[in-house]
C-alpha cells in the first residue's frame, strides 16, 4: 500500500544487500534520461502501426494485438524480476508503441483531431504534475499515497471485471457510456492516473536519495512509462465520449 504504481514496490528498492554490492547508484537525472529514451522508442514503434493502419495493411491488427498482449507479459516480467528492466524496458516501450499506434489511428479515423488533443493533454498533465511536485504545491504524504493506491486498485478491479464480462456479452454499467455519468467516471480515472505521476515522482526521488542500485533507473523509467501510457489511453477514452455527444 506504500505506492500506487504496482510495478514500483518498496521491497524492490530497499534491498540493502544489493545497495551495498552496487558501486553505482540510481539518480533522478539518469531516470529522466532513460524515460525519454523509452518515450522515443514508443513514438517510433507507434508510428509504424499508425502508418500501417492508414495504408490499410491487414497485418496491423495482428501487430496491434501482439503489442497489447506482449506489453502486458513484459510488464509482469519486469515487475517480478526488476534486474531485467535494462533489457526489457525498451521491449515494453516498443510493444506499447505498436499497440498505441494502432489504437490511436483507429480513434483518429473515428474522431478526427482526437489524437493530437490527447497527446497535448498528456504532456500538459505530465509537466503540470511535475511542477506541482517540485514546488510542493501538492504534498505527497502517506495518506495521499494510500488514497491513490486504493483508487487505483478499485479502478483495476472494475476494469478486470468488465474485461471478464465482455466474454459473456456484458459489461459494467455506465463506464462505456457517453452520458454525463460515463464522462464523470472517465474524468475521475484520468485524475487518478495523473495523481499516480505525483506518487511516482516522490517514490523515485526517495529511492534515489537512499542509494538504490543503478539498474533501478530503468525500472523507475519503466514505471513512469506505464503511468503515462495509462493516462494517455484514459484521455483518449474521455475525449471520445465528449465527441460522441457532439
Amino acid at each position: 500500500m506504500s505506492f500506487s504504481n504496482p510495478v514500483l514496490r518498496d521491497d524492490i528498492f530497499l534491498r540493502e544487500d544489493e545497495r551495498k554490492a552496487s558501486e553505482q547508484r540510481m539518480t533522478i537525472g539518469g531516470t529522466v534520461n532513460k524515460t525519454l529514451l523509452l518515450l522515443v522508442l514508443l513514438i517510433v514503434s507507434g508510428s509504424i502501426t499508425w502508418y500501417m493502419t492508414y495504408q490499410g495493411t491487414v497485418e496491423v491488427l495482428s501487430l496491434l494485438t501482439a503489442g497489447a498482449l506482449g506489453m502486458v507479459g513484459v510488464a509482469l516480467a519486469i515487475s517480478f524480476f526488476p534486474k531485467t528492466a535494462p533489457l526489457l524496458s525498451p521491449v515494453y516501450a516498443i510493444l506499447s508503441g505498436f499497440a498505441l499506434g494502432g489504437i490511436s489511428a483507429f480513434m483518429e479515423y473515428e474522431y478526427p483531431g482526437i489524437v493530437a488533443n490527447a497527446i497535448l493533454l498528456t504532456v500538459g498533465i505530465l509537466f503540470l504534475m511535475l511542477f506541482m511536485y517540485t514546488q510542493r504545491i501538492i504534498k505527497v504524504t502517506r495518506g495521499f499515497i494510500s488514497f491513490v493506491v486504493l483508487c487505483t486498485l478499485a479502478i483495476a478491479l472494475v476494469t478486470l471485471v468488465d474485461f471478464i464480462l465482455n466474454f459473456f456479452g456484458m459489461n459494467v454499467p455506465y463506464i462505456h457510456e457517453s452520458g454525463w455519468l460515463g464522462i464523470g467516471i472517465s474524468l475521475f480515472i484520468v485524475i487518478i492516473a495523473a495523481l499516480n505521476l505525483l506518487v511516482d515522482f516522490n517514490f523515485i526521488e526517495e529511492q534515489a536519495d537512499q542509494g538504490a542500485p543503478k539498474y533501478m533507473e530503468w525500472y523507475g523509467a519503466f514505471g513512469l512509462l506505464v503511468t503515462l501510457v495509462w493516462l494517455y489511453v484514459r484521455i483518449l477514452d474521455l475525449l471520445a465520449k465528449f465527441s460522441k455527444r457532439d
Side-chain angles (χ1 to χ4, degrees):
M1 295 290 290
S2 59
F3 191 69
S4 62
N5 191 328
V7 304
L8 300 179
R9 310 194 305 273
D10 282 342
D11 63 312
I12 291 172
F13 282 86
L14 298 179
R15 293 170 182 164
E16 293 299 329
D17 57 333
E18 290 188 359
R19 291 183 180 179
K20 293 177 181 178
S22 176
E23 296 181 357
Q24 293 183 312
R25 307 300 185 188
M26 174 184 180
T27 65
I28 295 176
T31 305
V32 170
N33 291 335
K34 290 172 176 60
T35 302
L36 292 175
L37 176 59
L38 294 181
L39 286 172
V40 170
L41 291 175
L42 185 150
I43 293 171
V44 171
S45 61
S47 300
I48 295 174
T49 45
W50 174 281
Y51 176 80
M52 290 174 64
T53 302
Y54 274 91
Q55 290 298 310
T57 307
V58 294
E59 290 83 1
V60 67
L61 287 177
S62 298
L63 188 57
L64 190 160
T65 303
L69 295 177
M71 63 185 284
V72 174
V74 172
L76 290 174
I78 298 174
S79 299
F80 286 108
F81 305 102
K83 287 187 177 181
T84 64
L87 176 64
L88 293 183
S89 292
V91 176
Y92 173 83
I94 293 171
L95 292 173
S96 296
F98 287 151
L100 293 184
I103 292 172
S104 298
F106 284 119
M107 294 291 285
E108 182 69 17
Y109 179 81
E110 187 72 20
Y111 310 105
I114 191 173
V115 171
N117 290 330
I119 292 174
L120 288 174
L121 284 172
T122 301
V123 174
I125 290 173
L126 171 63
F127 282 103
L128 176 62
M129 294 297 104
L130 183 60
F131 174 78
M132 288 185 172
Y133 179 74
T134 56
Q135 299 301 313
R136 300 300 190 260
I137 295 175
I138 298 179
K139 294 183 178 180
V140 184
T141 63
R142 294 300 99 183
F144 177 87
I145 294 173
S146 296
F147 169 76
V148 175
V149 169
L150 291 174
C151 291
T152 303
L153 291 177
I155 293 169
L157 178 60
V158 173
T159 302
L160 177 61
V161 171
D162 183 66
F163 177 77
I164 295 174
L165 288 177
N166 281 333
F167 288 103
F168 303 95
M170 300 180 290
N171 53 54
V172 176
Y174 305 114
I175 64 173
H176 298 293
E177 297 179 5
S178 58
W180 289 114
L181 180 57
I183 289 176
I185 293 173
S186 292
L187 180 59
F188 173 76
I189 296 175
V190 168
I191 292 173
I192 295 302
L195 294 181
N196 268 275
L197 290 172
L198 289 176
V199 186
D200 288 353
F201 298 149
N202 177 74
F203 191 80
I204 292 173
E205 181 182 39
E206 285 185 351
Q207 300 311 315
D209 289 342
Q210 294 177 27
K214 187 70 173 178
Y215 70 85
M216 298 308 291
E217 290 179 351
W218 283 104
Y219 195 78
F222 159 70
L224 279 176
L225 188 64
V226 170
T227 302
L228 287 172
V229 168
W230 182 37
L231 178 62
Y232 171 74
V233 170
R234 300 315 307 185
I235 290 176
L236 270 181
D237 177 67
L238 177 61
L239 294 179
K241 288 181 177 179
F242 274 115
S243 297
K244 290 178 182 177
R245 296 184 60 86
D246 294 340

